[in-house]
Amino acid sequence: MNEFELEAEIAAYYEQGGERERLSRNARGRLEFARMQDLLRRLLPGEGLDVLDVGGATGVHASWLAADGHKVTLVDPVPSQVAVAAGLPGVDALVGDARDLPCGDAAFDAVLLMGPLYHLTDREHRVQAVAEARRCARPGGIVAAATINRTAGWCDYLLFQAGGRDKGIGPEASLRVMREGVLRYSDQDIFTTAYLSHPGEVASEFEDAGLAAPDQYAVQGFPGYIPELEGLVDNEEVREHLMEGLRIIEREPSLLGASNHLLTVAVVPE
């Protein structure tokens, strides 16, 4: 019996279904999606893998992973999202929590946490989620987790102001989130309760979960905040130039915190 419960405001946010199109509705989402695909395709340890997609929602990543030939199991705490994902070809979908996965030990070649860590505001719970991912991954397999960087809320606030848009979050709240890390759903109308991390913080949580010396990759990098991003992402020639540049700087330590999202990856010890 799972002892954990999803916070009501987080469950309500995902039940609305808006996240289903988040990675396709605008250039920022399309860049994030393209970079996650690019990174994971390079980092997954082989072909035809058993992949566990934890917090996989309606299967935005599970769908292409299955199309690539992997056997994908998706776990998500929101039943309506699991119902959608269960209809995807090559995807098994289960209701469950990242902190207490309904999966056996060493059952997967790769365990992906593409969202759970930024909805767990307590460090203990984030470490538990990574430890569960490690438990379910085979020796030599990988655990990969996406997080939102600490500066993301503040940068979004500045972008909204520059574009003359009011998204509910005020200047004091945006600075508080940057100092403390916790974004509450009552602060704004663009997301729900989330934890925004420093890159070193995520690395230490991996280490406490038994995954030492993880590698870290900036997903969008600082170009992800360019206001005219559509002109870069939707132009095939320019997009490839952008993607190649991001590959060059993706592991530069001095630039990791300047990206909206971070991907932290560790190999499970033999």
Side-chain angles (χ1 to χ4, degrees), residues 208-240:
D208 285 356
L211 295 170
D215 293 319
Q216 294 188 298
Y217 303 81
V219 179
Q220 304 96 324
F222 59 85
Y225 289 114
I226 295 174
E228 299 83 7
L229 196 56
E230 280 80 2
L232 305 179
V233 173
D234 297 336
N235 179 308
E236 184 175 351
E237 182 177 347
V238 178
R239 180 177 64 249
E240 185 48 44

Side-chain angles (χ1 to χ4, degrees), residues 178-201:
M178 189 161 62
R179 293 188 187 102
E180 301 174 5
V182 180
L183 175 69
R184 293 295 178 188
Y185 77 104
S186 56
D187 287 335
Q188 38 74 54
D189 62 0
I190 56 172
F191 201 37
T192 184
T193 295
Y195 186 77
L196 282 59
S197 305
H198 292 296
E201 196 175 7

Side-chain angles (χ1 to χ4, degrees), residues 5-26:
E5 292 185 3
L6 186 66
E7 284 82 347
E9 69 271 15
I10 298 175
Y13 175 80
Y14 284 101
E15 289 284 6
Q16 293 171 5
E19 281 290 295
R20 297 180 189 181
E21 292 80 37
R22 184 182 70 81
L23 295 179
S24 61
R25 75 166 65 104
N26 58 38

Side-chain angles (χ1 to χ4, degrees), residues 235-248:
N235 179 308
E236 184 175 351
E237 182 177 347
V238 178
R239 180 177 64 249
E240 185 48 44
H241 179 80
L242 170 62
M243 293 288 285
E244 186 58 33
L246 288 172
R247 293 182 194 112
I248 293 171

Side-chain angles (χ1 to χ4, degrees), residues 49-64:
L49 304 175
D50 292 316
V51 177
L52 179 60
D53 183 10
V54 184
T58 56
V60 64
H61 291 300
S63 180
W64 67 262

